[in-house]
């Protein structure tokens, strides 16, 4: 069996009880840290806490050369670990389908995701979110200005009155250094097109000290929000209760919000 286990948002304790039991009962465990990682725990922390040995795979080892993982799962119980939920944002559907093609039983044990945590921390209702987008580092997309994938998503969601989650770029698969876009950098990039647009920063969701702060993109670009991981939310048309939550929980200016 190949079991995909979401580790949750922050540290070695963020995993569900079901996920913990499956990990500790596995014959072999693999993890990837290139799509995201637990800011509050290292692989060593996970190994010590769960009393397991974990082999970390790079992107090529998961997406292009997973044969040894699949071969192991033909005869053993194999756990495959990612931060958050393994099938939300950090999707590994391809690996699951490859396992199915080889007759390997699979299952998914979900973890808490940034999407659901963002809704909970901001007070914005989950069903009022539209399509999400990822804001890349400028050098990563190789073009001037904001990518159309970002502006089109924001504009389409706003036209429909929906909120937008803007995930901020992560480069965690580099051998020389890891790089995490912070919310001030993301806001500065977005301010080129949307200087007066209200955004909400969500930082360190799932940790003991999450941060939620609202302001215009120009304003947020001049603030500091501490350690990663960060993301930005662009509110659409807000229900009265949502507006109350943004004012009380994020310090938003009510007059700057679009309230239904």
């Amino acid at each position: 069996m190949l079991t995909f286990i979401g580790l949750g948002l922050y540290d070695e304790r963020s995993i569900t009880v079901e996920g913990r039991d499956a990990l500790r009962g596995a014959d072999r465990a693999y993890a990837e840290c290139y799509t995201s990682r637990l800011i509050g725990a290292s692989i060593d922390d996970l190994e010590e806490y769960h009393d397991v040995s974990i082999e970390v795979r790079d992107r090529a080892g998961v997406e292009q050369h997973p044969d040894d993982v699949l071969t192991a799962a033909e005869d053993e119980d194999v756990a495959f670990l990612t931060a958050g939920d393994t099938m939300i944002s950090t999707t590994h559907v391809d690996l699951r389908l490859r396992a199915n093609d080889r007759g390997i039983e699979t299952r998914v044990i979900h973890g808490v995701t940034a999407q659901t945590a963002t809704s909970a921390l901001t007070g914005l209702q989950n069903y009022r979110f539209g399509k999400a987008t990822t804001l890349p580092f400028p050098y990563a997309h190789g073009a001037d200005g904001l990518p159309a994938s970002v502006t089109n998503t924001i504009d389409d969601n706003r036209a429909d009155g929906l909120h937008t989650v803007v995930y901020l770029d992560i480069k965690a698969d580099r051998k020389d250094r890891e790089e995490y876009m912070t919310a001030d950098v993301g806001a500065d990039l977005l301010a080129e097109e949307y200087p007066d647009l209200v955004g909400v920063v969500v930082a360190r969701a799932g940790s003991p000290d999450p941060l939620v702060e609202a302001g215009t993109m120009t304003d947020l670009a001049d603030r500091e929000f501490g350690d990663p991981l960060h993301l930005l939310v662009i509110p659409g048309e807000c229900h009265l209760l949502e507006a109350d939550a943004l004012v009380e929980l994020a310090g938003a200016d009510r007059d700057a919000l679009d309230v239904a």
Side-chain angles (χ1 to χ4, degrees):
M1 175 178 283
L2 177 59
T3 302
F4 296 85
I5 302 175
L7 294 172
L9 291 176
Y10 183 66
D11 64 16
E12 68 275 14
R13 300 169 300 159
S14 298
I15 192 171
T16 65
V17 173
E18 182 184 11
R20 179 199 66 190
D21 292 346
L23 173 57
R24 295 179 180 181
D27 299 308
R28 195 183 300 257
Y30 298 89
E32 64 88 351
C33 301
Y34 57 85
T35 48
S36 187
R37 62 173 290 246
L38 300 177
I39 293 298
S42 65
I43 292 296
D44 288 342
D45 294 329
L46 286 167
E47 290 181 324
E48 181 178 358
Y49 186 77
H50 295 290
D51 192 25
V52 297
S53 177
I54 300 172
E55 180 180 332
V56 179
R57 306 304 298 267
D58 61 13
R59 186 183 296 272
V62 174
E63 298 178 357
Q64 300 173 30
H65 309 292
D67 285 348
D68 57 336
V69 176
L70 297 172
T71 298
E74 290 178 337
D75 301 310
E76 299 176 302
D77 286 331
V78 174
F80 186 86
L81 313 173
T82 65
D85 186 306
T86 63
M87 298 298 168
I88 303 295
S89 296
T90 55
T91 177
H92 293 292
V93 175
D94 179 69
L95 183 58
R96 190 180 187 195
L97 294 178
R98 292 191 192 207
N100 284 342
D101 287 343
R102 294 173 63 156
I104 300 167
E105 186 177 357
T106 65
R107 64 170 171 160
V108 178
I109 299 178
H110 302 285
V112 179
T113 71
Q115 174 78 50
T116 54
T118 294
S119 177
L121 289 170
T122 61
L124 296 174
Q125 297 170 10
N126 187 59
Y127 70 90
R128 294 173 63 88
F129 281 82
K131 179 183 176 182
T133 188
T134 297
L135 179 61
F137 288 108
Y139 68 79
H141 69 89
D144 294 331
L146 294 172
S149 60
V150 175
T151 56
N152 290 345
T153 298
I154 293 172
D155 294 344
D156 290 347
N157 284 344
R158 293 184 69 206
D160 292 335
L162 301 175
H163 314 313
T164 306
V165 171
V166 181
Y167 294 107
L168 303 179
D169 204 358
I170 294 173
K171 300 299 182 189
D173 57 345
R174 296 186 163 198
K175 294 182 179 180
D176 54 343
R177 72 181 188 282
E178 295 179 346
E179 193 171 7
Y180 302 90
M181 184 183 290
T182 55
D184 57 308
V185 172
D188 187 54
L189 293 171
L190 290 169
E192 296 178 13
E193 291 282 340
Y194 310 102
D196 300 319
L197 188 63
V198 173
V200 184
V201 174
V202 177
R204 297 176 297 283
S207 76
D209 62 339
L211 176 146
V212 183
E213 286 190 19
T216 66
M217 292 300 168
T218 301
D219 180 32
L220 296 176
D222 289 331
R223 299 189 199 175
E224 294 185 1
F225 303 101
D227 294 334
L229 297 170
H230 301 175
L231 60 76
L232 284 161
V233 180
I234 297 175
E237 186 178 70
C238 292
H239 181 277
L240 181 61
L241 189 61
E242 292 179 305
D244 289 344
L246 290 178
V247 171
E248 293 295 326
L249 302 177
D253 179 355
R254 182 181 292 274
D255 293 336
L257 299 173
D258 181 9
V259 183

